[in-house]
Amino acid sequence: MNNLRYGYTPTHPGEVLKDEIEYRRISQKKLSEQMGMSYKILNDILNERRPLTVETAMLFEAALGIPAYSLINIQTKYNIQITNNNKSFAERLAKIRKAVAIL
């Protein structure tokens, strides 16, 4: 997906985490076991099919030493960028801004 508003494609935290565990040569199976997380959930996060929650960010912090707040910030920026690309939601926001401007 191309994001013209920001000039770059949004980055899902799963992409960052996947690169990190590949760099460290840690298997997803081993990592999921160490984190007490199902392999499917871990794989879904790493392949950008599932969002990162505060709890999962804290599990990654414990396992990999990557600060949970950094991962949550990436997820939040991703969510905002994706939502900004939603045309019907953008129209809704425009209506609200127009109505508030009159007040």
Side-chain angles (χ1 to χ4, degrees):
M1 172 188 317
N2 197 1
N3 190 326
L4 298 177
R5 183 174 183 151
Y6 293 97
Y8 57 89
T9 303
T11 301
H12 188 283
E15 179 182 346
V16 174
L17 290 164
K18 189 173 186 177
D19 287 347
E20 184 65 25
I21 69 167
E22 287 175 358
Y23 175 78
R24 296 184 191 195
R25 295 190 172 124
I26 302 170
S27 78
Q28 289 184 28
K29 183 172 173 25
K30 182 176 180 178
L31 183 61
S32 69
E33 290 169 0
Q34 289 175 336
M35 293 172 66
M37 176 187 293
S38 81
Y39 172 82
K40 173 145 181 42
I41 290 174
L42 176 70
N43 187 264
D44 282 353
I45 292 169
L46 298 180
N47 287 299
E48 305 174 32
R49 292 187 296 265
R50 183 182 295 255
L52 196 69
T53 65
V54 171
E55 287 179 0
T56 54
M58 292 175 76
L59 291 171
F60 279 110
E61 180 179 55
L64 301 173
I66 300 169
Y69 69 85
S70 295
L71 296 171
I72 289 300
N73 283 343
I74 294 169
Q75 182 68 58
T76 301
K77 287 178 184 179
Y78 177 84
N79 293 348
I80 290 170
Q81 292 171 18
I82 294 300
T83 303
N84 274 329
N85 285 336
N86 179 326
K87 290 184 183 195
S88 64
F89 190 72
E91 290 169 6
R92 183 176 172 192
L93 292 175
K95 286 180 185 177
I96 293 169
R97 288 182 179 119
K98 185 177 179 181
V100 171
I102 296 171
L103 298 177

